[in-house]
């Protein structure tokens, strides 16, 4: 008789736990969604405003990234380098990663300044230069 | 979640002048880009001719290496727009030309 008295109490406890399961499911689904769709932001952007384009080719992260700000500050793989130091720094990196280079230039940089950097990249031996842009929806 | 970013990047790929010269022995065609984004013909025959999309498709060959020569004060946004426009028209081998000590660019 005492056993029958205890059973409803056990069932009520189990029901309260069951109510939490959908909530936990939703939290985990949200977590998985953000892990898959989001990307952890690692890039030090040096205050850049990248140019926009409707280009459909997605950018692939390259081991060598050069950032050029509108004040003509150069960051090579997130380290500030002067224009004079750039050729040597590029040569060292090219030995480690013989790959393409990604250039993130501010949209207000003029071609005069970009050309100096591109010439240095060409002299260092990079065959393909990827100019990074922000993707916009085609109008 | 707070450190996640949904910013989508794309890349405008350019062959460097070094690579373009080794890939093809064909003389590249020249397109000049003004500060305000207007594409102009380069070289001897089309020098200074304003190029609309139709003119680009008919007067130039899309499979020939093309050198885009922006004016020195042209901003990167204008250059990216021009490169995207050429790519959209089918020009596959586009590279940026070197600036000469003057203003115009020389390959």
């Amino acid at each position: 008789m005492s056993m029958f008295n205890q059973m409803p109490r056990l069932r009520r406890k189990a029901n309260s736990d069951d109510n939490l399961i959908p909530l936990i499911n939703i939290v985990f689904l949200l977590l998985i969604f953000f892990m898959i769709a989001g990307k952890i932001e690692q890039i030090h952007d040096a205050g850049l405003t990248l140019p926009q384009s409707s280009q459909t080719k997605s950018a692939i992260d390259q081991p060598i990234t050069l950032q050029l700000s509108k004040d003509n500050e150069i960051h090579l793989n997130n380290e500030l380098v002067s224009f004079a130091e750039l050729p040597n720094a590029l040569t060292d990196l090219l030995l480690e990663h013989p790959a393409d280079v990604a250039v993130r230039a501010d949209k207000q940089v003029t071609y005069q300044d970009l050309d100096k950097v591109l010439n240095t990249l060409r002299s260092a031996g990079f065959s393909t230069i990827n100019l990074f842009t922000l993707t916009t929806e085609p109008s | 979640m707070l450190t996640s970013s949904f910013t989508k990047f794309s890349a405008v790929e350019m062959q460097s002048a070094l690579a373009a010269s080794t890939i093809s022995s064909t003389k590249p065609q020249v397109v000049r880009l003004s500060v305000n984004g207007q594409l102009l013909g380069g070289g001897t025959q089309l020098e200074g001719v304003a190029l609309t999309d139709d003119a680009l498709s008919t007067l130039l060959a899309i499979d020939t290496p093309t050198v885009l020569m922006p004016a020195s004060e042209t901003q990167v946004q204008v250059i990216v727009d021009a490169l995207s426009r050429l790519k959209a028209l089918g020009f596959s081998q586009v590279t940026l030309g070197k600036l000469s000590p003057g203003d115009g660019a020389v390959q």
Side-chain angles (χ1 to χ4, degrees):
Chain A
M1 188 66 183
S2 61
M3 196 176 107
F4 285 113
N5 285 339
Q6 283 176 355
M7 277 189 68
R9 206 178 302 158
L10 281 174
R11 186 179 286 173
R12 273 200 301 278
K13 201 172 183 184
N15 280 344
S16 66
D17 284 349
D18 284 349
N19 291 336
L20 277 177
I21 290 172
L23 182 69
I24 293 167
N25 283 345
I26 288 168
V27 168
F28 270 92
L29 281 173
L30 280 172
L31 186 66
I32 291 166
F33 169 76
F34 278 105
M35 284 169 66
I36 293 171
K39 185 182 128 195
I40 303 297
E41 194 63 61
Q42 293 174 324
I43 301 155
H44 167 66
D45 69 354
L48 296 182
T49 311
L50 290 182
Q52 298 188 332
S53 79
S54 54
Q55 190 88 8
T56 51
K57 187 190 170 192
S58 292
I60 302 165
D61 277 336
Q62 305 289 351
I64 302 174
T65 302
L66 188 148
Q67 296 177 52
L68 180 62
S69 74
K70 61 182 174 186
D71 303 321
N72 291 327
E73 280 186 348
I74 299 169
H75 286 84
L76 188 61
N77 282 1
N78 296 335
E79 285 186 22
L80 183 67
V81 291
S82 68
F83 185 72
E85 295 166 342
L86 187 59
N88 287 337
L90 282 171
T91 308
D92 293 344
L93 279 176
L94 194 59
L95 288 173
E96 293 171 30
H97 309 284
D100 298 341
V101 60
V103 176
R104 294 168 184 263
D106 191 283
K107 66 178 184 180
Q108 291 179 22
V109 169
T110 61
Y111 186 57
Q112 203 169 11
D113 299 322
L114 180 66
D115 184 60
K116 289 178 195 164
V117 172
L118 293 181
N119 280 338
T120 310
L121 291 172
R122 286 168 181 143
S123 303
F126 289 99
S127 58
T128 304
I129 297 162
N130 291 294
L131 195 59
F132 270 47
T133 61
L134 284 177
T135 305
T136 55
E137 292 298 321
S139 54
Chain B
M1 277 189 250
L2 293 175
T3 55
S4 295
S5 164
F6 292 95
T7 309
K8 197 175 170 191
F9 294 106
S10 57
V12 180
E13 192 179 291
M14 297 177 292
Q15 300 294 317
S16 78
L18 187 73
S21 62
T22 52
I23 286 168
S24 171
S25 57
T26 313
K27 191 180 174 187
Q29 51 199 359
V30 177
V31 176
R32 293 187 187 281
L33 177 64
S34 69
V35 175
N36 59 8
Q38 191 176 29
L39 292 175
L40 305 166
T44 51
Q45 293 181 331
L46 296 172
E47 186 67 49
V49 176
L51 296 172
T52 59
D53 285 358
D54 288 340
L56 281 166
S57 304
T58 52
L59 296 174
L60 302 176
I62 59 169
D63 51 353
T64 302
T66 306
V67 180
L68 183 68
M69 294 184 165
S72 62
E73 292 303 314
T74 312
Q75 292 190 338
V76 169
Q77 179 65 68
V78 177
I79 297 169
V80 166
D81 290 342
L83 286 169
S84 301
R85 192 174 149 197
L86 289 170
K87 295 260 178 182
L89 288 169
F91 291 86
S92 55
Q93 300 178 57
V94 183
T95 187
L96 288 175
K98 291 180 187 174
L99 277 178
S100 65
D103 190 12
V106 177
Q107 176 69 16

